[in-house]
Amino acid sequence: MILRKYMSLLGVGAAQIDLILLKNQYCKDECVKGEFHLKGGIVEQEITRIECDLIVTDHHSKEEVVIGSTSLLTSRKIKSGHQEKIPFTFDLPAELLPSNDKRSYRFKTRLTFSEGVESKDQDQITITE
C-alpha cells in the first residue's frame, strides 16, 4: 500500500482527467460544452482544483497565448478506480480569428492534487467564421 501511494505521488497510477467535448468545431462567440472525466488511480487522492485554459498557438512565431481560463476549486477525494463526470462550459470570445495553417486552438486541462504530480490533458478545437 505504501509503495502504491509513493508511485501515485510520482504520477505512476495517479488519477487522470480527460476533457470530452460535444464537438471539435466551433464558431467564435459560441459556448463550448462537454465534461471532465475523472478516473481514480491506484490509491485514493485528494483533488484540489481543475484548471482549463484555452490557448492559441501562432505556428509562424511559435508563440502560445492563453485566451481564457476556467478553474474549479474543490476539496474532494477520488477513490481508487472510481470514475466521475463534471460538466464543462466555456464561452468563446467574439474576437477569435478562425483556425488556419498559421493559427490553432486547444484546451489544456490540469488536475491538481493536494500531493503528487498533476494530471494533464489537451484537446484541439477548430474555430470557423
Side-chain angles (χ1 to χ4, degrees):
M1 184 67 167
I2 293 174
L3 177 60
R4 291 193 307 182
K5 179 173 173 123
Y6 284 115
M7 287 175 60
S8 71
L9 290 175
L10 296 172
V12 178
Q16 298 176 350
I17 191 163
D18 187 16
L19 176 59
I20 304 296
L21 301 174
L22 295 181
K23 59 183 187 173
N24 294 323
Q25 188 169 327
Y26 297 90
C27 296
K28 58 185 178 180
D29 205 22
E30 189 173 349
C31 181
V32 177
K33 294 183 181 181
E35 295 177 324
F36 294 114
H37 287 208
L38 301 174
K39 183 178 178 189
I42 57 175
V43 295
E44 179 177 272
Q45 289 180 280
E46 185 172 344
I47 299 169
T48 56
R49 74 180 172 272
I50 298 170
E51 298 175 12
C52 189
D53 300 329
L54 177 60
I55 298 171
V56 61
T57 303
D58 181 320
H59 296 288
H60 179 68
S61 68
K62 306 292 186 216
E63 182 181 14
E64 294 185 345
V65 176
V66 176
I67 296 171
S69 298
T70 184
S71 292
L72 290 132
L73 299 176
T74 184
S75 181
R76 69 174 73 191
K77 292 186 180 188
I78 186 158
K79 295 182 180 186
S80 174
H82 181 73
Q83 295 187 19
E84 189 174 337
K85 296 177 183 177
I86 300 171
F88 169 79
T89 59
F90 188 93
D91 292 323
L92 294 172
E95 64 273 0
L96 289 183
L97 298 172
S99 301
N100 57 29
D101 292 343
K102 299 175 187 174
R103 179 185 322 106
S104 64
Y105 298 90
R106 75 180 190 279
F107 283 105
K108 183 177 180 182
T109 307
R110 291 177 306 285
L111 178 63
T112 306
F113 307 104
S114 60
E115 298 178 323
V117 178
E118 290 181 327
S119 173
K120 298 178 183 178
D121 179 44
Q122 296 194 49
D123 297 274
Q124 192 89 20
I125 63 169
T126 301
I127 305 297
T128 60
E129 291 287 333

